[in-house]
């Protein structure tokens, strides 16, 4: 699994949509000590949940080797989904407890495969509550959504 590293790695993620669905943006910040890298993107038509998932996926995909990381998200959908619901979804053939297909299943599968590579701890943080990492990616995700809205 993940090799040990000298300093902990923190990843802050966020997604945003202008309308839901609508133009969407995502952003992720990977921090290790004083080193910080930011990733961002978006698309013309998305849901907020898709952008939240994509932020986490893109951050984990950016890691060059298996690592232990803590992902901070203000999305209960992402945190609860990957930390708990996903095991039942997989056992039920990617169906919910109500026997309906899981929404965003391809994104969930991508995220799940990345969690098999990395040792990931998931932490929910309250949005708009002064967490510097969360505040930064929130702003960047919104600006990405706005960029895609203006391009339409």
């Amino acid at each position: 699994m993940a090799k040990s590293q000298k300093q902990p790695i923190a990843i802050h993620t966020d997604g945003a949509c202008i309308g839901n669905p609508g133009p969407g943006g995502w952003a992720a910040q990977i921090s290790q000590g004083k080193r910080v890298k930011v990733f961002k993107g978006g698309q013309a038509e998305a849901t907020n949940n898709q952008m939240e998932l994509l932020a986490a996926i893109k951050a984990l995909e950016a890691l060059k080797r298996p690592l232990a990381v803590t992902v901070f998200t203000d999305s209960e959908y992402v945190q609860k989904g990957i930390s708990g619901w996903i095991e039942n979804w997989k056992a039920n053939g990617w169906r919910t407890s109500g026997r309906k297909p899981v929404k965003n299943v391809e994104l969930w599968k991508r995220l799940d495969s990345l969690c098999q590579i990395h040792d990931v701890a998931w932490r929910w943080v309250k949005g708009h509550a002064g967490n510097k990492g969360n505040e930064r990616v929130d702003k960047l995700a919104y600006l990405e959504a706005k960029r895609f809205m203006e391009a339409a």
Side-chain angles (χ1 to χ4, degrees):
M1 191 56 98
K3 295 179 183 177
S4 66
Q5 61 252 356
K6 294 178 184 173
Q7 294 179 311
I9 296 175
I11 299 175
H12 288 83
T13 65
D14 205 5
C17 273
I18 300 172
N20 195 23
W26 60 267
Q29 173 180 289
I30 302 174
S31 306
Q32 184 177 27
K34 294 185 182 201
R35 296 181 65 202
V36 176
K37 287 188 180 181
V38 173
F39 302 87
K40 59 187 178 173
Q43 55 195 62
E45 186 74 11
T47 66
N48 190 70
N49 285 341
Q50 289 168 337
M51 295 294 94
E52 295 280 1
L53 284 164
L54 204 50
I57 289 166
K58 292 293 190 174
L60 292 171
E61 285 177 345
L63 301 175
K64 305 260 189 263
R65 65 183 192 284
L67 293 167
V69 299
T70 301
V71 177
F72 296 90
T73 177
D74 64 6
S75 170
E76 289 187 31
Y77 173 70
V78 171
Q79 190 271 327
K80 289 181 179 179
I82 198 66
S83 298
W85 303 336
I86 198 165
E87 294 308 318
N88 287 334
W89 293 339
K90 291 192 298 187
N92 293 330
W94 292 99
R95 297 211 170 260
T96 67
S97 58
R99 309 307 293 156
K100 294 181 181 178
V102 171
K103 290 182 182 180
N104 305 310
V105 67
E106 293 308 316
L107 294 173
W108 283 113
K109 286 179 178 180
R110 279 175 70 186
L111 187 56
D112 184 46
S113 69
L114 290 162
C115 290
Q116 305 310 310
I117 297 168
H118 304 287
D119 180 8
V120 185
W122 294 89
R123 300 288 181 264
W124 179 82
V125 295
K126 185 174 181 172
H128 311 284
N131 179 295
K132 287 182 182 181
N134 180 258
E135 296 290 338
R136 182 175 189 197
V137 293
D138 175 75
K139 181 178 182 179
L140 292 171
Y142 173 77
L143 290 173
E144 285 297 301
K146 191 173 177 185
R147 185 171 66 90
F148 278 87
M149 181 181 78
E150 291 169 354

